[in-house]
Amino acid sequence: MSDSDAPAAGPAHSGRTAVRLLQGYLWHPADEGNETFEDFDLENYLPHELGEAHVLWDKVTPPFAFFENGEPTAGQAFYQFTVLQMYDARPSAENLNADALSASQGLGPLLDATPNGVGWQLWEDLREL
């Protein structure tokens, strides 16, 4: 094998670490005739930055078939969202917990301000990405 067949070296690692602080789902009725959700856009409710953390979301297929009460999820539009933060080095568990709590406290009121019929679930994750 010649050197030209060797894979190219990747970019040098910057030493920064991305840690997922929070993970969650948001859902609402997917009925096309429902005026409340016809033009529903998470851009109107969630910021892309929350302090030093970044908020990302994507529309996804419902991750489970039924809610805890037995209601099917098939009639709902689902979004998965992640709150992550970049660090120069992985912080201590105490610092990560504090950052996750801060992000949760900032995100909670925004999620509560969504229209009636929007459901959401949020939990701490603390895994490196």
Side-chain angles (χ1 to χ4, degrees):
M1 180 168 154
S2 72
D3 286 340
S4 63
D5 293 333
H13 189 270
S14 68
R16 293 185 47 91
T17 302
V19 178
R20 182 184 342 220
L21 299 175
L22 303 171
Q23 184 76 33
Y25 293 105
L26 181 139
W27 59 88
H28 63 77
D31 301 335
E32 290 181 17
N34 188 327
E35 287 183 28
T36 302
F37 298 107
E38 220 168 34
D39 295 320
F40 184 81
D41 187 353
L42 279 177
E43 292 278 340
N44 297 324
Y45 300 96
L46 296 180
H48 288 283
E49 293 184 6
L50 196 60
E52 293 184 35
H54 303 277
V55 183
L56 311 170
W57 61 85
D58 289 303
K59 194 166 188 176
V60 297
T61 302
F64 38 88
F66 297 93
F67 290 107
E68 289 179 8
N69 67 2
E71 180 186 335
T73 59
Q76 302 288 315
F78 266 80
Y79 304 84
Q80 179 177 8
F81 63 92
T82 301
V83 178
L84 68 93
Q85 189 162 329
M86 298 295 297
Y87 298 93
D88 289 330
R90 184 169 174 91
S92 69
E94 284 180 354
N95 287 344
L96 284 175
N97 284 322
D99 288 344
L101 179 60
S102 176
S104 177
Q105 290 172 339
L107 197 55
L110 301 173
L111 292 168
D112 286 337
T114 57
N116 287 335
V118 171
W120 53 274
Q121 181 181 33
L122 180 67
W123 59 91
E124 188 175 271
D125 195 316
L126 304 182
R127 288 184 286 165
E128 285 186 36
L129 295 174

